[in-house]
Amino acid sequence: MKAVKIAAPGGFDKLNLVEINDAEEPGPGEIRVRLHATSLNFHDLIVCSGQSKPADGRIPMSDGAGVVEAAGEGVSEFSEGDHVVSTFFPQWLAGPPRVSDFSGTPGDGIDGYARESVVATATSFTKAPKGWSHAEAATITTAGLTAWRALVVDGGLKAGDTVLALGTGGVSVFAIQIAKMMGAEVIATSSSDEKLERVKALGADHVINYKSDEKWGSTVGKLTGGRGADVVVEVGGAGTLSQSIKAVRVGGHIALIGVLTGVSGDVPTALLMQKQARLEGLIVGSRAEQQDFVRAIEHGGLKPVIDKSFGLGELGDAFAYQHAGKHFGKIVAEW
């Protein structure tokens, strides 16, 4: 079968489409999945670009969606023909966070889903949403679940709350959609007026161009009558955190998800204390949270926004496209 492997030290030109042995029959507690799609995330970009020094020959991609071909002894949750989607932390099934690294994450510490078939523990997957394509389902593993956890699990989002979503990448677009599905007001930011028009079409109530309005944190306060946002989906990191703290309401929640502007920087601690806000870091979520998310979107009618699709052998081109930063929503690969 075909698979993509990274040649050390990594780089978009080091993603090689190769032939490997077919997946074997699943053992006890395992399933064999015929994979059909993956989606690209910032974490995958870090791995495939070589920044995280991937192991030579590593099969990348944490997101994978496909069809169960066979179930091993003791597996009752899945049957042949079920549509499934992978989990980011196969070892974190439920409860509070239990992992702080990527040693067990597919596509990083272990081989991932850029291949035609895989045998894995049954807990490495959940059911995919009914009616979703494989490409749509593949967007759940990392981006979709991260947004769900930020808003609902950690942020305690409820109808009538205000959500501030930074940017228009995969997590942020999912956050806008989830927030609207939950009955929240949404404020979205971008440096592109064209993209701001697209988030308005998704239901964003207010939009801010953060390049022309560098004090957008104060603007959020004005848009909310001085109250501020209940939940801030913070994907920028050091370069945007001070404005996010200005934007959040007293006692609100800032979900620190990304480090797009840098891995360290100054934090206005006095303002954070004054706001009495929660600043909480997160990395994706548990399998149980993914199952909750799947149930929610099946009832809420949410569908992911897919910007562009590539083939399995075109992952290098797909990552170059992602790196250019012109996409809106998710980039996927299908085969």
Side-chain angles (χ1 to χ4, degrees):
M1 67 175 175
K2 291 181 173 60
V4 172
K5 288 192 173 185
I6 307 170
F12 302 154
D13 60 341
K14 302 294 185 182
L15 296 169
N16 301 314
L17 186 65
V18 299
E19 288 285 340
I20 63 173
N21 293 333
D22 290 339
E24 299 178 352
E25 289 299 310
E30 295 179 332
I31 56 175
R32 187 177 72 232
V33 178
R34 176 64 60 177
L35 296 161
H36 291 290
T38 187
S39 75
L40 281 65
N41 301 284
F42 185 69
H43 178 83
D44 300 302
L45 187 147
I46 294 296
V47 173
C48 291
S49 66
Q51 294 180 58
S52 66
K53 298 179 174 58
D56 187 46
R58 172 68 72 228
I59 298 174
M61 309 310 291
S62 59
D63 300 6
V67 181
V68 175
E69 291 187 313
E73 181 183 350
V75 176
S76 58
E77 185 177 353
F78 300 109
S79 302
E80 182 179 346
D82 284 345
H83 287 211
V84 294
V85 57
S86 64
T87 58
F88 190 87
F89 291 121
Q91 71 275 44
W92 181 15
L93 303 185
R98 302 181 185 279
V99 289
S100 61
D101 59 40
F102 306 110
S103 59
T105 297
D108 191 336
I110 61 176
D111 282 338
Y113 298 113
R115 47 177 152 176
E116 292 182 315
S117 187
V118 67
V119 170
T121 59
T123 52
S124 298
F125 288 85
T126 70
K127 297 281 183 66
K130 294 181 178 67
W132 280 34
S133 70
H134 296 304
E136 289 171 335
T139 66
I140 288 175
T141 300
T142 303
L145 182 56
T146 297
W148 173 259
R149 180 181 165 196
L151 295 178
V152 179
V153 180
D154 294 347
L157 185 68
K158 61 184 183 300
D161 282 350
T162 298
V163 170
L164 170 63
L166 307 188
T168 54
V171 172
S172 298
V173 170
F174 256 120
I176 292 166
Q177 293 179 288
I178 293 168
K180 294 308 296 182
M181 181 182 73
M182 300 286 289
E185 180 183 41
V186 172
I187 303 171
T189 73
S190 174
S191 61
S192 164
D193 288 335
E194 180 184 351
K195 290 182 177 180
L196 289 175
E197 287 301 314
R198 295 189 67 180
V199 297
K200 285 168 67 175
L202 286 177
D205 300 279
H206 307 283
V207 296
I208 302 171
N209 187 313
Y210 63 79
K211 277 198 172 180
S212 58
D213 183 359
E214 295 182 356
K215 296 182 179 180
W216 48 266
S218 297
T219 301
V220 171
K222 295 174 184 176
L223 290 171
T224 56
R227 185 172 185 270
D230 295 278
V231 184
V232 179
V233 180
E234 169 56 80
V235 299
T240 53
L241 185 56
S242 62
Q243 289 298 314
S244 289
I245 293 173
K246 289 180 181 178
V248 74
R249 71 165 171 84
V250 174
H253 182 86
I254 302 172
L256 182 59
I257 293 166
V259 290
L260 297 178
T261 63
V263 296
S264 62
D266 294 332
V267 177
T269 51
L271 180 59
L272 181 62
M273 181 179 65
Q274 182 182 350
K275 284 293 187 80
Q276 301 178 70
R278 287 177 293 140
L279 174 60
E280 186 169 2
L282 71 149
I283 305 175
V284 196
S286 70
R287 184 175 190 263
E289 289 163 358
Q290 180 162 308
Q291 291 171 313
D292 289 342
F293 180 41
V294 169
R295 283 192 293 271
I297 56 184
E298 284 182 340
H299 290 286
L302 183 154
K303 282 276 192 169
V305 176
I306 294 178
D307 181 280
K308 193 171 183 179
S309 177
F310 293 80
L312 179 60
E314 300 174 314
L315 276 181
D317 294 336
F319 279 112
Y321 179 69
Q322 180 189 19
H323 187 64
K326 296 181 180 180
H327 61 288
F328 181 90
K330 294 296 296 177
I331 303 165
V332 301
E334 302 174 82
W335 58 92

